[in-house]
Amino acid sequence: MSWLGTAERIRTGREPAAAPGPDTGPGGTPGLLAGIPRQRGGRTAGAGAVAEGPNAPDAAVRRRPWRLLPTPLGTPFTFGYAVLLAATSLFAEYADPGLVSELLRGSSTDVVHLAQAPLLVLVASALWIAGGMASGYAVAFLFVLTALERRIGALRAVAVFFGGHVLATLATELPVAFSVAAGRLPESSLHRLDYGISFGVMTCTGALAGLLPAWSRWPLLAGVGYVALTDLLAYADPLSDWGHLLSLALGVASWPLLRRWRDHRAAAAPLLGDLGHPALRGARTY
């Protein structure tokens, strides 16, 4: 004990109060340092911790239902893409039918176009909605991609959507090319009209299911899988219907990667007053 502590004990007859140590803050709050704002464990950090974590988007949606729809700042990819799809859908509805038909055929991801200009048609085919804005895939696009982008960010949502779109397209069209070469399909199959966003939407749906709580994950997968299987059994467009099932499976296969992305996005940023920060490690305390 220092001589000041001894004098205090003689004068008052009591032991002097201990000074706050490195593990106590004002008022004896454990884990806080005096004079350093915004530390973990304090009132500010505790309030912010409620909104952090993997289920934060779901809690935000329950408080603010309008977050189900895209916004320019919250979900820039989904919002901008939705505006573009609305414009092309209106053009397809009201423009000259001959011009629209020519553009759709030029955007088709059939075998011939994939062999001639693969990058062009893979992008152009995703600029149209088969069935227009009244299509079920158009409605699913808004809600599914909004929810996915809020959880993993814009760039990763782009990767999931276009990754599924490209992989499912190639997986359905390349067998057609081989079958025509083997003489099992007529040459007219090489010019099959194929465009739309359905493969990307199905991939995003499968991916989103892995980021949802179990009570909503499995009903979503069961419902979407049932619709895809029903369409396949109807045998109206078996090639596209196989592509829809494959796209859904691609989304499910991406769950481990997407969960790492989500956890990385939800991780709290280091605070300036945190002595665990790499810049402050090894610093002397007094």
Side-chain angles (χ1 to χ4, degrees):
M1 182 181 296
S2 66
W3 68 271
L4 289 174
T6 304
E8 175 70 10
R9 185 183 60 177
I10 294 173
R11 184 176 64 83
T12 62
R14 297 193 305 269
E15 289 291 337
D23 293 329
T24 59
T29 305
L32 297 183
L33 297 176
I36 301 180
R38 299 182 64 239
Q39 298 174 69
R40 289 194 182 94
R43 193 174 304 172
T44 303
V50 176
E52 297 292 342
N55 294 325
D58 300 306
V61 166
R62 287 194 294 270
R63 293 192 302 267
R64 292 171 287 178
W66 58 86
R67 286 173 59 90
L68 291 170
L69 295 174
T71 59
L73 297 180
T75 54
F77 165 62
T78 305
F79 183 86
Y81 198 2
V83 171
L84 179 60
L85 289 173
T88 57
S89 297
L90 291 173
F91 178 84
E93 181 72 22
Y94 297 106
D96 178 68
L99 176 60
V100 172
S101 178
E102 182 179 351
L103 289 174
L104 291 179
R105 291 190 178 279
S107 304
S108 174
T109 51
D110 53 53
V111 175
V112 173
H113 284 108
L114 284 174
Q116 294 174 348
L119 292 179
L120 176 62
V121 295
L122 284 171
V123 173
S125 63
L127 300 179
W128 309 91
I129 304 177
M133 290 186 293
S135 166
Y137 286 106
V139 177
F141 172 89
L142 286 178
F143 291 104
V144 169
L145 265 77
T146 298
L148 184 64
E149 186 175 352
R150 289 195 188 279
R151 285 163 173 79
I152 64 175
L155 293 179
R156 290 162 179 168
V158 172
V160 173
F161 181 89
F162 283 102
H165 173 72
V166 170
L167 290 176
T169 297
L170 295 178
T172 52
E173 293 295 342
L174 290 180
V176 173
F178 295 142
S179 298
V180 171
R184 298 189 175 184
L185 286 176
E187 290 192 5
S188 59
S189 300
L190 299 176
H191 302 276
R192 174 180 171 272
L193 187 63
D194 187 15
Y195 65 91
I197 60 173
S198 59
F199 288 170
V201 171
M202 289 293 281
T203 303
C204 290
T205 302
L208 175 63
L211 304 179
L212 296 176
W215 64 266
S216 56
R217 176 188 310 147
W218 302 116
L220 174 63
L221 283 179
V224 175
Y226 174 79
V227 171
L229 282 173
T230 302
D231 291 341
L232 181 61
L233 293 176
Y235 214 72
D237 189 359
L239 200 62
S240 293
D241 295 333
W242 273 117
H244 293 153
L245 281 175
L246 175 61
S247 302
L248 186 64
L250 287 173
V252 172
S254 69
W255 284 3
L257 178 61
L258 292 175
R259 285 167 178 169
R260 285 199 295 271
W261 284 351
R262 178 199 58 188
D263 294 342
H264 176 75
R265 179 178 173 83
L271 300 177
L272 296 178
D274 189 352
L275 293 182
H277 192 279
L280 299 176
R281 286 175 186 165
R284 295 179 62 188
T285 58
Y286 298 92

